[in-house]
C-alpha cells in the first residue's frame, strides 16, 4: 500500500508484489475506504478523482 506523505511532496513509496522492469507505467491513486492497508478494488477502494478527472499519471521507472 503506497501512502503519500503529509508534507505533500511528490515522493511516494510503492511496495510491489511482483518484479517489474524499466519502462513507462500508468498509476492511479485510490482512496483506502475499506479495510485499512488492504487493496479492495473493485470495491470500497475507489479511484481518487478531482472534479470529473481520475487522478492517473504516467511515471517512468528505472530498475538498476
Amino acid at each position: 500500500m503506497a501512502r503519500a506523505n503529509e508534507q505533500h511532496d511528490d515522493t511516494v513509496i510503492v511496495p510491489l508484489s511482483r518484479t517489474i522492469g524499466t519502462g513507462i507505467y500508468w498509476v492511479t491513486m485510490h482512496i483506502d475506504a475499506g479495510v485499512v492497508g488492504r487493496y479492495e478494488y473493485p470495491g470500497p477502494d475507489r479511484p481518487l478523482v478531482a472534479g470529473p478527472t481520475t487522478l492517473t499519471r504516467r511515471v517512468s521507472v528505472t530498475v538498476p
Side-chain angles (χ1 to χ4, degrees), residues 3-4 6-7 9 11-12 14 20 22 24-26 30-31 34 36-37 40 48-49 52-53 55-59 62:
R3 216 177 235 304
E6 294 179 15
Q7 288 75 34
D9 67 22
T11 303
V12 177
V14 181
I20 65 169
T22 296
I24 302 299
Y25 295 86
W26 288 89
H30 285 74
I31 296 170
V36 174
E40 301 167 281
L48 187 59
V49 296
T53 306
L55 296 182
T56 300
R57 298 290 182 264
R58 179 180 176 242
V59 296
T62 302

Side-chain angles (χ1 to χ4, degrees), residues 10 13 38 44 47 53 59-60:
D10 293 333
I13 297 171
R38 182 185 305 161
T53 306
V59 296
S60 176

Side-chain angles (χ1 to χ4, degrees), residues 15-54:
L16 301 173
S17 59
R18 63 185 175 99
T19 302
I20 65 169
T22 296
I24 302 299
Y25 295 86
W26 288 89
V27 297
T28 302
M29 294 189 70
H30 285 74
I31 296 170
D32 192 1
V35 176
V36 174
R38 182 185 305 161
Y39 183 59
E40 301 167 281
Y41 181 82
D45 295 348
R46 63 194 182 281
L48 187 59
V49 296
T53 306
T54 301

